[in-house]
Amino acid sequence: MLRGEEEPRFLISAGLEAGAADRLTGIFSEFYMALLTRRAFLISTFSDVPGWDSVFDAPFINWTSADLDMDMMAPLRIPRHLQGARQFGPSVNVSQYSFLYLVNNDTLNDQIFGSENLQDSALVPGSKFLLVASNRGRSIKLFDNPHHRDQLLEWGLTSHTAATCAYRFLFREQQHVLDTFQQDLDLLKNKSVLKIGIQIRAGDNTFSEDTGYPTALIQSYFDCAQQLDQQLQLTNPARPIVWYVVSESLQVCNAVKQQLGSKVFTRLDLHAEHANCKETGGCSDVPGRALQQAVGQMLAFSLTDFQVNALWCCHYKSG
């Protein structure tokens, strides 16, 4: 395309009205769809959701895109914000633009990424501009796809490295993100210490009203971590072990610190916010702080050696 040998085509990742992890997992799948269909890759946003360029630099390609107007983004809104039929507004040239809405549709995601030839599938529109909204990661599923597995392997990817490679190719955390989590990163990069990451997901309602979390459920996380801790001590009793505890509930973090003391590292100075806090509530007066904290926590959690998380939670599993 850059040499003018091919007609330029674009895949634009729509700025999903959701949390950071949902948006990221969708982006990874969309990025590989763009590569495999020979499209330039862009990321846009809309509404009150903060853009990725507020927390990330683009180290290798310029994925930034001008925010698209509401006629353009209309068919990509989540159901509770959708007005009328899922279709473009009247100002959009539908001969040039098409959309693919994959949010929460596990069956369609499995089919498209797991078995379809993305280059000529009837499920993937072939227009010049393809707008995609997704909150489902299928970078592993792509390696089951007989049409694309060999190409991915030829690029040096595996099912377990594809998501990380996409992240590192597209994004570099900005300095203000690293500065906010410097004390976390200093500890977690210490190779002499074993780190067990424990994520206690209290629920989105916590962002607007922090009521804590049932003690019995918190204990189940610690029982799991304690078993892991004991096994690790058997193999290397002299090596220190720290539990890195994260939760959107400050009450949970305080309770954990009081109970376990120096065994635990947790942040008691951060007021958690959802990246889509305009909807979940609890927004601060600092623009972009919610996304900054979400990205910083995922980065920090990714540096732990072992992880105990809620099965259904995407946020820290992304880390």
Side-chain angles (χ1 to χ4, degrees):
M1 279 189 286
L2 291 174
R3 293 193 300 267
E5 297 171 2
E6 291 187 29
E7 181 73 19
R9 297 194 307 157
F10 303 88
L11 188 150
I12 304 173
S13 172
L16 192 67
E17 298 159 296
D22 280 346
R23 293 166 64 189
L24 276 177
T25 52
I27 282 173
F28 299 154
S29 300
E30 294 158 355
F31 174 64
Y32 285 114
M33 177 182 284
L35 286 181
L36 292 166
T37 58
R38 302 179 66 82
R39 292 176 179 270
F41 183 69
L42 299 170
I43 303 174
S44 186
T45 189
F46 68 113
S47 189
D48 293 318
V49 179
W52 290 113
D53 55 358
S54 67
V55 290
F56 289 130
D57 293 325
F60 295 106
I61 61 169
N62 183 7
W63 40 259
T64 58
S65 168
D67 291 349
L68 304 180
D69 63 33
M70 289 311 299
D71 271 4
M72 194 77 69
M73 300 297 276
L76 301 168
R77 307 208 69 177
I78 57 177
R80 61 180 172 272
H81 293 165
L82 184 66
Q83 297 180 350
R86 195 171 288 286
Q87 61 187 19
F88 285 122
S91 67
V92 178
N93 181 353
V94 294
S95 67
Q96 294 283 308
Y97 288 84
S98 55
F99 68 89
L100 186 58
Y101 185 78
L102 299 174
V103 175
N104 294 336
N105 194 331
D106 289 317
T107 300
L108 185 57
N109 275 279
D110 286 344
Q111 181 179 354
I112 287 178
F113 291 101
S115 60
E116 290 287 308
N117 185 338
L118 297 178
Q119 295 180 353
D120 61 13
S121 170
L123 298 175
V124 181
S127 56
K128 182 174 181 178
F129 297 95
L130 174 60
L131 279 67
V132 185
S134 174
N135 62 344
R136 292 292 188 263
R138 290 297 184 273
S139 57
I140 293 178
K141 192 72 174 177
L142 264 173
F143 286 82
D144 295 331
N145 189 317
H147 302 288
H148 301 298
R149 175 182 167 82
D150 290 346
Q151 177 67 78
L152 294 167
L153 294 174
E154 186 178 321
W155 287 339
L157 299 165
T158 71
S159 59
H160 297 293
T161 62
T164 301
C165 285
Y167 180 90
R168 289 301 175 198
F169 183 77
L170 293 170
F171 304 126
R172 180 190 296 124
E173 300 87 2
Q174 293 177 3
Q175 192 60 46
H176 66 89
V177 176
L178 302 178
D179 290 345
T180 302
F181 286 86
Q182 193 60 58
Q183 56 182 306
D184 308 57
L185 300 177
D186 288 344
L187 168 69
L188 297 169
K189 288 180 178 179
N190 186 345
K191 300 296 185 182
S192 67
V193 178
L194 273 174
K195 287 81 64 176
I196 299 177
I198 306 172
Q199 167 263 322
I200 302 174
R201 184 74 161 94
D204 284 354
N205 60 302
T206 303
F207 294 107
S208 57
E209 183 180 4
D210 189 352
T211 56
Y213 201 55
T215 303
L217 292 178
I218 294 177
Q219 190 60 46
S220 66
Y221 288 89
F222 293 156
D223 290 344
C224 181
Q226 186 61 47
Q227 292 178 43
L228 186 56
D229 192 301
Q230 291 171 351
Q231 289 298 314
L232 293 171
Q233 288 186 34
L234 290 175
T235 58
N236 191 346
R239 192 174 185 185
I241 301 174
V242 171
W243 294 6
Y244 180 64
V245 176
V246 289
S247 176
E248 65 274 35
S249 170
L250 192 58
Q251 285 197 38
V252 166
C253 294
N254 271 302
V256 168
K257 189 64 177 176
Q258 290 175 13
Q259 179 180 344
L260 298 174
S262 61
K263 182 71 175 179
V264 165
F265 180 88
T266 189
R267 294 292 293 271
L268 303 178
D269 58 328
L270 295 179
H271 168 68
E273 300 176 38
H274 195 280
N276 188 22
C277 66
K278 292 288 186 181
E279 186 160 320
T280 61
C283 286
S284 72
D285 56 357
V286 181
R289 188 167 76 176
L291 196 57
Q292 176 199 67
Q293 291 188 7
V295 168
Q297 277 196 335
M298 282 191 284
L299 172 63
F301 201 71
S302 74
L303 298 174
T304 56
D305 302 298
F306 302 91
Q307 296 163 354
V308 180
N309 10 7
L311 180 64
W312 55 272
C313 177
C314 187
H315 183 79
Y316 297 104
K317 286 166 70 177
S318 297

